[in-house]
Amino acid sequence: MTGSGSTTLLPRRKRRRRSNWRGLLYIAPAMALVIVFFVMPVLFTGWMSLHNWPLMGASRWIGFNNYFRMFNDTRFMAALNFTAYYTVIVTIAIFAVAFPLAIFVEKERQFVSAYRTIIFLPVVVGLATASLLWVWLANVDSGFIGPALKALGLVEKSPNLLATFDTAFLTIVVMVVWKIAGFTMIILLTGLQAIPSDLTEAARIDGAGRWQRFRHLTLPLMRKTIALALIVSVTGSILAFDQFYIMTSGGPQNKMISVVYYIFNQSFVSFNLGYGAALSIALLAILVAISIVQLWLLRVGEERP
């Protein structure tokens, strides 16, 4: 009996090993892409960050001096503060627009497909193209926004929206919300559509109002969807570069320099590639930490099995 049992186990082990190797073979192309285009560049960037790496000439090992340098770099800290401020404002603005839109297009009604398409259309426009478009719209002479405000009697003369920090920042936030809200709406829409209609109907029969259903039913069941949308929004905001580079060039008075913009300046304007690599690694660590905290906070209160 023992011998026959051991002999039957051998073919099973062989089949498992074959299936394991077959599974590895299937994922090998994806693993190769991840290793070549993510793991290796990150490792090389980490190696660069430990050197004084000029654009021309030989590199020199300096250990962790680049990382110590960033703590005394007031311009980097200013860029970090501005990026954090921009991330909070634009993330709140995107969710404030995308969530009502997702609720609006979630129910089947006439022309709902057209509404979804129209709202999503700005997403397909590249961010650089959208930035150039809004530079033209905000132009004091040939643009549309300034003359429209003047025609409505809100201003006496067409303002230069990109000349001051407040108006330039507001213009960029509006542009980003116009560009990104449709994508966030689609993510939230999938979460809304995944909520069983039986639960919503039962809550309605029990006398729960719209706000009660939204607070005690919709939000708890959409935790994972909200986490995904929040991580995408926060990550995209922290990595913001195109809109500041194209629309304001970091101005006015260098008050709108994001972290990625500052890394770009250090690496490809000042040619401090080693320091730029150290800043990139620090930014990667910040993104990973923020994503972990967001996932943890959104899991608080979930029922454990």
Side-chain angles (χ1 to χ4, degrees), residues 45-60:
T45 302
W47 175 254
M48 286 182 62
S49 68
L50 302 175
H51 292 75
N52 181 3
W53 199 295
L55 182 65
M56 303 294 293
S59 60
R60 180 170 56 88

Side-chain angles (χ1 to χ4, degrees), residues 67 278-292:
Y67 292 94
L279 295 176
S280 300
I281 295 297
L283 181 59
L284 176 62
I286 292 172
L287 287 172
V288 172
I290 290 175
S291 299
I292 293 174

Side-chain angles (χ1 to χ4, degrees), residues 30-78:
M31 290 179 60
L33 290 175
V34 171
I35 292 173
V36 172
F37 293 105
F38 179 75
V39 176
M40 291 180 63
V42 169
L43 293 177
F44 184 69
T45 302
W47 175 254
M48 286 182 62
S49 68
L50 302 175
H51 292 75
N52 181 3
W53 199 295
L55 182 65
M56 303 294 293
S59 60
R60 180 170 56 88
W61 173 270
I62 58 174
F64 293 96
N65 288 349
N66 282 325
Y67 292 94
F68 298 144
R69 174 184 172 183
M70 71 177 64
F71 291 105
N72 298 321
D73 191 343
T74 56
R75 291 182 297 173
F76 172 67
M77 293 302 170

Side-chain angles (χ1 to χ4, degrees), residues 197-257:
S197 58
D198 296 342
L199 295 178
T200 306
E201 187 63 27
R204 185 182 293 108
I205 294 174
D206 290 340
R210 290 184 178 180
W211 170 247
Q212 291 176 323
R213 295 197 303 270
F214 178 77
R215 179 182 177 183
H216 299 289
L217 181 65
T218 303
L219 287 180
L221 293 177
M222 288 187 61
R223 281 182 177 271
K224 293 183 179 180
T225 305
I226 293 174
L228 174 61
L230 191 61
I231 290 173
V232 170
S233 178
V234 170
T235 302
S237 301
I238 293 176
L239 296 177
F241 170 74
D242 300 55
Q243 55 267 47
F244 300 116
Y245 181 75
I246 294 174
M247 297 183 68
T248 64
S249 298
Q253 299 177 351
N254 293 328
K255 292 182 179 180
M256 301 183 71
I257 294 180

Side-chain angles (χ1 to χ4, degrees), residues 152-227:
L152 293 173
L154 299 177
V155 294
E156 294 182 359
K157 61 178 182 179
S158 298
N160 188 352
L161 297 176
L162 301 179
T164 62
F165 174 83
D166 292 335
T167 56
F169 184 79
L170 179 60
T171 302
I172 290 177
V173 169
V174 172
M175 185 275 294
V176 172
V177 172
W178 169 80
K179 170 77 173 65
I180 303 297
F183 178 75
T184 306
M185 178 202 72
I186 294 298
I187 297 177
L188 298 175
L189 179 61
T190 59
L192 288 172
Q193 292 177 337
I195 298 176
S197 58
D198 296 342
L199 295 178
T200 306
E201 187 63 27
R204 185 182 293 108
I205 294 174
D206 290 340
R210 290 184 178 180
W211 170 247
Q212 291 176 323
R213 295 197 303 270
F214 178 77
R215 179 182 177 183
H216 299 289
L217 181 65
T218 303
L219 287 180
L221 293 177
M222 288 187 61
R223 281 182 177 271
K224 293 183 179 180
T225 305
I226 293 174

